[in-house]
Amino acid sequence: MTVEEAIELVEQLLERGKLTKAQEAVFCGTWFGKAYAQIAKETDYGEGYIKDVGADLWRSLATALGEKVTKQNLHGVLNRAAKLKLAASPLLPLQPSASARTRIDWGEAIDVSRFYGRADELHALNQWILQDGYRLIALLGMGGMGKTALSVKLTEQIQEQFQLVIWRSLRNAPPLDEILTDLIQFLSHQQVSALPETTEAKLSLLITCLQQRRCLVVLDNVEAILESGTQAGEYKAGYEGYGYWFDRIGEIPHRSCVILTSREKPKDVAKLEGVRSTVRSFALKGLTLTAAQAIFHDRDCAASDETVWESVIERYAGNPLALKIVAAAIWELFGGNVDLFVPYLKQGGLKFGDITDLLDRQY
């Protein structure tokens, strides 16, 4: 690839029109192995400005391509992008119209207009996806910890960085063929009139969709396809194909990101994780004290001091669902006075059937 061809490809990927003079100077200099100091010396720009322009350019390319871009890997990244463009099917054009960039199918995603805390978690996940280019991410945590809400809030925050966004729940354990058909039809803009008959061929077509467009796919409740009572992460009989699909998502280069939420880690995610891998899991813990208090405040519950809040919130490990159940009970039984609940807590606590069910399902 010549430098002129590389610049043309970058301009197509960024969809901003022509590169500025400073961007072109940085790109050409980097393409030919020059240091920032040398590029600055050969232009009218200061070295600090050149570094800033370069950092912004590599960050924008990383967002467009879905993988980390640096001065060192620039040639390899763009050569792979060029090959993907050449392999693009007429049914799946590499560059969609502007309207396609915001096409979203929320499925049965929940309302997160009331969302509690998780600023640090959202910041970390934003970086993993938009800067580090992770292709497969598993959000893990026990039932009620807020995985679904976090996945929706995260999707709301980063949706504009993707051309296509689709959110689906696996709560009812749909067969793999069913979910593949659903995803392909959406990600291809309904342009695939006749789907392949075999699961293997559908998997290949879906990977092509993920390569040719920057897509965000969220699969909620993945534990529904995992087998209980066996070694952790094993799939139910008949659902082993999901594992093969997750393998391919993590191993084959593409520009997209697939997010899974689950109570336990699928074995394929555990197998693919590593220091240099594009697969990673995120273990979700309980809410902070401040975020948890907001749940009680929404129920008009109040406590006399911080130690009262700490005793209740720590008892339920900051689990948002458990805290909502407790807050509802305190409002109903004690008029919202958290202090009156503490003596019962010290004696072993009241029995909450919903929390017992939550724990039973988890174990």
Side-chain angles (χ1 to χ4, degrees), residues 128-157:
W128 285 10
I129 296 168
L130 302 182
Q131 296 182 33
D132 300 334
Y134 284 100
R135 296 194 287 258
L136 179 62
I137 296 174
L139 297 180
L140 307 173
M142 74 167 291
M145 198 56 79
K147 303 180 295 297
T148 298
L150 180 62
S151 74
V152 176
K153 178 59 71 173
L154 175 65
T155 301
E156 287 184 348
Q157 288 189 354

Side-chain angles (χ1 to χ4, degrees), residues 18-306:
K18 297 291 184 181
L19 295 180
T20 65
K21 290 184 178 180
Q23 288 174 330
E24 187 169 333
V26 170
F27 184 86
C28 290
T30 301
W31 188 262
F32 293 113
K34 297 179 182 179
Y36 285 142
Q38 185 178 354
I39 297 171
K41 189 176 180 180
E42 295 174 355
T43 64
D44 296 328
Y45 304 106
E47 183 177 349
Y49 179 70
I50 289 294
K51 287 181 179 179
D52 290 342
V53 170
D56 178 69
L57 186 56
W58 313 144
R59 184 164 51 247
S60 298
L61 276 173
T63 299
L65 291 168
E67 62 177 303
K68 190 173 183 179
V69 179
T70 66
K71 292 178 65 179
Q72 289 71 33
N73 72 359
L74 181 63
H75 281 261
V77 167
L78 290 183
N79 279 322
R80 287 195 296 273
K83 289 178 181 178
L84 288 176
K85 182 180 178 183
L86 288 173
S89 161
L91 295 176
L92 301 168
L94 179 63
Q95 295 300 327
S97 63
S99 61
R101 294 185 62 83
T102 57
R103 188 163 180 248
I104 304 173
D105 185 340
W106 285 105
E108 298 179 353
I110 63 173
D111 178 18
V112 290
S113 55
R114 288 298 298 158
F115 186 78
Y116 304 95
R118 303 298 191 197
D120 291 341
E121 292 89 338
L122 287 166
H123 176 75
L125 291 166
N126 266 266
Q127 179 171 325
W128 285 10
I129 296 168
L130 302 182
Q131 296 182 33
D132 300 334
Y134 284 100
R135 296 194 287 258
L136 179 62
I137 296 174
L139 297 180
L140 307 173
M142 74 167 291
M145 198 56 79
K147 303 180 295 297
T148 298
L150 180 62
S151 74
V152 176
K153 178 59 71 173
L154 175 65
T155 301
E156 287 184 348
Q157 288 189 354
I158 64 176
Q159 59 185 339
E160 293 182 0
Q161 303 299 321
F162 294 86
Q163 294 161 301
L164 296 163
V165 175
I166 184 168
W167 195 100
R168 286 292 183 266
S169 173
L170 302 186
R171 182 183 300 277
N172 296 322
L176 179 59
D177 269 7
E178 180 180 319
I179 199 73
L180 290 178
T181 298
D182 185 21
L183 293 177
I184 291 170
Q185 288 177 341
F186 176 77
L187 299 179
S188 68
H189 287 274
Q190 308 292 332
Q191 293 182 24
V192 179
S193 56
L195 288 174
E197 294 184 1
T198 67
T199 300
E200 173 63 29
K202 288 179 182 177
L203 283 170
S204 296
L205 181 55
L206 180 57
I207 294 296
T208 300
C209 293
L210 298 177
Q211 289 175 325
Q212 294 176 353
R213 292 193 176 102
R214 184 154 165 74
C215 309
L216 176 63
V217 178
V218 182
L219 299 178
D220 192 39
N221 299 121
V222 171
E223 70 275 355
I225 63 170
L226 301 179
E227 186 63 78
S228 62
T230 62
Q231 183 177 347
E234 293 288 341
Y235 298 93
K236 291 181 177 178
Y239 289 86
E240 297 85 355
Y242 274 94
Y244 179 55
W245 177 29
F246 297 156
D247 269 344
R248 297 186 66 177
I249 290 172
E251 293 177 339
I252 297 176
H254 57 78
R255 310 166 58 203
S256 302
C257 179
V258 176
I259 299 174
L260 315 176
T261 78
S262 180
R263 295 183 182 181
E264 63 178 290
K265 185 186 299 186
K267 64 178 183 180
D268 300 278
V269 173
K271 178 182 67 178
L272 292 171
E273 285 183 296
V275 176
R276 293 180 175 83
S277 172
T278 58
V279 177
R280 194 163 180 181
S281 59
F282 190 102
L284 196 58
K285 299 180 180 179
L287 293 174
T288 63
L289 183 64
T290 301
Q293 282 177 309
I295 293 177
F296 288 88
H297 292 157
D298 280 353
R299 274 286 187 173
D300 291 329
C301 296
S304 58
D305 57 50
E306 289 294 293

Side-chain angles (χ1 to χ4, degrees), residues 316 321-322 325-326 329 350-361:
Y316 295 97
L321 179 56
I325 294 170
V326 172
L350 298 174
K351 298 295 184 181
F352 297 106
D354 290 339
I355 293 180
T356 301
D357 291 343
L358 178 67
L359 293 172
D360 286 344
R361 288 196 302 270

